[in-house]
Amino acid sequence: MKIDLTETTSSQINQALVSARRAIGTPAIGMVLTLVIVTDEENAYDALKSAGDASREHPSRIIAVIKRVSRSPRARRDARLDAEVRVGSDAGTGETVVLRLHGELANHAQSVVLPLLLPDAPVVVWWPEDAPADPAKDPLGALAQRRITDTYSAEAPLDELAVRAAAYSPGDTDLAWTRITPWRSMLAAALDQQPATVIGATVEGESDNPSCELLAMWLADRLGVPVERTLSQGPGLTAVRLETKNGVIVLDRADGSLATLSMQGQPDRAVALKRRETAELLAEELRRLDPDNTYESAVKFGVEKLHAGGEVKAAAAEKPAEGEQKAPAAKKAPAKKAAAK
């Protein structure tokens, strides 16, 4: 069921939601959170589709905030709110409210969104693109317990990583980080199966992919070893190699779908490691509403080195055993060179 409202108010939108629920015979509210999407007309359809798919796992009230830029000075002075209310099959398993803010009202989106939040339920704000430099200080971001950005959609993804690190606040996260969850899980499981001291690592992937940089910084941060970042044609991450005292552990994914795990003394194994859709990434992030300390540590590690084109290595790497030469720290591809490729 869809209801279109022109030149409306937050109060009228709430009344429309109640009326729509009664009309389809579901007066009770069974939603667990409010998801606020800040987007534009160009990306609104894809964002709403992904949020609707994610709501099948996390029933929620989805509020899409679309700021309409007026062309003429006179139109910019006029404040108007148009809305579209969707319930039932048109809104996944929850409710969807699409807000279009015109004129001066676009600068005060929080005043429109605040009355529409579910009472006593957590709030998550998602910027599919054009995220603010400091999401926690953004008027809409300040309403949320969790703030989701996506550095992959930025014009300069590697520069955006530095922005995310500098402005990090508890509750911030990024879909570029979410994309590497299966890689991190698989590498951790491989080290559990073959416990050995890691002395170096290599992360291979396409240029301008922040997920590759985050994985490299996570490995350097957690293992305390030099990490080399090399470029490939993609798609996305293509391989990770861990140098250990017992041999090399290789996780190689050349086609973006099926990967091969190779370890010393064991047969090669095929593992499913497909590139996930945005809806799957969003659903994963909505499973946890507490601060992600691991992401914080990774995004803050080595960002200055990354943009200086220096080495991605631990601040205090493990000392080599007596009589053993320490593995040299490999040079990482400079950010400017990678971006130009």
Side-chain angles (χ1 to χ4, degrees):
M1 181 177 184
K2 295 183 181 180
I3 302 175
D4 290 323
L5 302 172
T6 305
E7 296 188 20
T8 187
T9 64
S10 297
S11 176
Q12 292 173 345
I13 295 172
N14 269 319
Q15 292 174 10
L17 284 168
V18 173
S19 299
R21 286 198 301 268
R22 289 175 177 171
I24 64 174
T26 56
I29 299 178
M31 291 162 285
V32 298
L33 58 88
T34 302
L35 175 62
V36 180
I37 307 172
V38 186
T39 184
D40 54 22
E41 290 288 2
E42 180 182 358
N43 298 283
Y45 175 82
D46 290 337
L48 283 169
K49 185 178 185 303
S50 296
D53 292 341
S55 73
R56 302 185 188 283
E57 181 177 338
H58 308 278
S60 55
R61 174 175 290 178
I62 301 168
I63 302 175
V65 178
I66 302 173
K67 300 179 181 180
R68 300 292 296 269
V69 179
S70 302
R71 297 181 179 180
S72 66
R74 179 179 299 177
R76 284 194 291 270
R77 289 194 298 268
D78 296 333
R80 189 176 93 242
L81 172 63
D82 297 333
E84 180 182 325
V85 175
R86 306 175 187 174
V87 296
S89 60
D90 293 313
T93 58
E95 301 171 340
T96 299
V97 179
V98 182
L99 304 175
R100 290 181 171 85
L101 285 65
H102 302 258
E104 185 61 25
L105 189 61
N107 297 324
H108 305 279
Q110 73 279 7
S111 64
V112 179
V113 171
L114 186 59
L116 300 175
L117 301 179
L118 290 172
D120 302 322
V123 179
V124 179
V125 178
W126 172 36
W127 292 269
E129 68 290 311
D130 297 330
D134 192 340
K137 292 184 179 179
D138 180 83
L140 284 172
L143 301 175
Q145 285 76 42
R146 289 280 278 181
R147 295 165 293 275
I148 304 173
T149 57
D150 191 355
T151 55
Y152 189 80
S153 65
E155 185 175 349
L158 303 188
D159 294 335
E160 192 72 9
L161 278 178
V163 175
R164 299 275 77 85
Y168 177 85
S169 294
D172 290 356
T173 191
D174 196 279
L175 293 186
W177 172 253
T178 318
R179 289 183 180 94
I180 62 174
T181 299
W183 287 82
R184 295 190 295 118
S185 300
M186 192 62 61
L187 292 171
L191 288 176
D192 285 341
Q193 296 176 36
Q194 184 172 311
T197 302
V198 180
I199 57 178
T202 301
V203 175
E204 178 186 285
E206 62 186 357
S207 63
D208 275 352
N209 190 315
S211 296
C212 301
E213 313 299 333
L214 281 169
L215 184 59
M217 291 188 288
W218 173 72
L219 287 171
D221 179 39
R222 305 302 293 180
L223 297 176
V225 298
V227 178
E228 179 184 0
R229 170 73 170 93
T230 60
L231 302 182
S232 72
Q233 297 300 316
L237 269 164
T238 52
V240 176
R241 296 173 179 84
L242 301 179
E243 301 282 346
T244 75
K245 295 182 178 180
N246 294 344
V248 182
I249 298 175
V250 180
L251 184 58
D252 187 285
R253 186 191 67 178
D255 61 358
S257 177
L258 191 65
T260 301
L261 178 63
S262 304
M263 292 189 292
Q264 187 73 22
Q266 298 188 23
D268 293 350
R269 284 174 287 175
V271 294
L273 207 61
K274 71 180 182 69
R275 306 187 76 191
R276 297 182 292 169
E277 300 293 334
T278 303
E280 297 178 72
L281 303 175
L282 189 60
E284 178 184 326
E285 283 300 333
L286 295 179
R287 290 177 199 141
R288 59 176 301 169
L289 299 175
D290 57 316
D292 190 340
N293 297 326
T294 307
Y295 165 70
E296 176 188 4
S297 181
V299 76
K300 288 182 176 181
F301 179 89
V303 173
E304 292 181 0
K305 301 184 186 74
L306 172 69
H307 283 265
E311 300 173 347
V312 181
K313 61 181 181 180
E318 178 184 324
K319 294 182 179 180
E322 185 177 353
E324 176 186 350
Q325 292 185 350
K326 182 179 178 181
K331 294 290 183 179
K332 177 197 166 292
K336 292 183 179 179
K337 182 179 179 181
K341 185 170 181 179

